[in-house]
Amino acid sequence: MTDFSSFEHKPSATEETLLQQLDRDNLPRHVAIIMDGNGRWAAQRHLPRIAGHKAGIQSVREIVTFSCEIGIQALTLYAFSNENWNRPVKEITQLMILLERFLNKELKTMMKNEIRFQAIGQIDRLQDSVVKLIRSVEKETRNNNKMTLILALSYGGRTEIVDAIKKVHQDLEQERMTIKDLDEKSFSKYLYTCNIPDPDLMIRTSGEVRVSNFLLWQVAYTELYFTKTPWPDFRKIHFLRALCDYQGRERRYGLISGEQNH
Ligand code: FPP
């Protein structure tokens, strides 16, 4: 019988077994992750919320390195949403400090592992020093082509679509395109993700079952995977469970079983 649960189930296989089970020829090209649960992880330990974000960096490192190792082409991490601007200033400041430290520290590893870095979102809303650092890491890593690491920062899916519509409007007004040229394919070139394929798999940690304004346009045919594990505890084994679960799915794109030609 089909299991309609959207959560992971039977987490009994070991990392080694899952690694053997993983089909390297059928990996998702692009994985997007909503890294949720840092605050609750910290609260359970009677620690300040920032301790959860700090612990979450270790998960980021492990998942980025492993993704690159196994041959995933693009990994997008939801690090700071438009809605996160409403958090206390202290938490925002601490998150920005963590981001700066992460970029400064990981640049060397990105170069070694040939990872290209890219940020998506309304980056100019971030403080100047962070914007400068982001642009310089993007520039430094632009010729790396093993994997692209995308951080969604000051990001909102609806805002992304509205921003794209404004750019389309401009191009129409300036006669760089006609309304006849506008279709799904041409519109997607106006999104922040214009050079990145749509995600094949989206993972959300910590037990919430929603997409929270993340890559709204791009997830039209994405497989969704939810785990109760909070982000700071999310390790290679949890990621492998998600990848193996993904490989067991049939992607039909609206067609009948066995019919699709993607
Ligand atoms: C959601 O957990 C997580 C965030 C808003 C920030 C994610 C940031 C990190 C993992 C660290 C910084 C990352 C990089 C790449 C430098 P939450 O705070 O909403 O948790 P809660 O729902 O339990 O309160």
Side-chain angles (χ1 to χ4, degrees), residues 35-41 49 53 56-57 60 77-79 84 87 91 95 98-99 102 151 231:
M35 311 182 285
D36 197 14
N38 297 351
R40 277 162 286 163
W41 182 93
R49 293 178 58 80
H53 298 314
I57 301 264
V60 171
L77 303 177
Y78 203 3
N84 290 153
R87 291 199 175 187
E91 185 172 342
L95 275 169
L98 282 186
L99 174 64
F102 173 82
L151 284 191
W231 178 250

Side-chain angles (χ1 to χ4, degrees), residues 33 38 43 47 53 55 63 111 128 148-149 189 192 195 226:
I33 307 184
N38 297 351
L47 295 169
H53 298 314
I63 300 309
M111 295 311 289
D128 288 351
T148 305
L149 168 64
K189 298 284 171 225
Y192 307 146
N195 57 346
F226 300 98

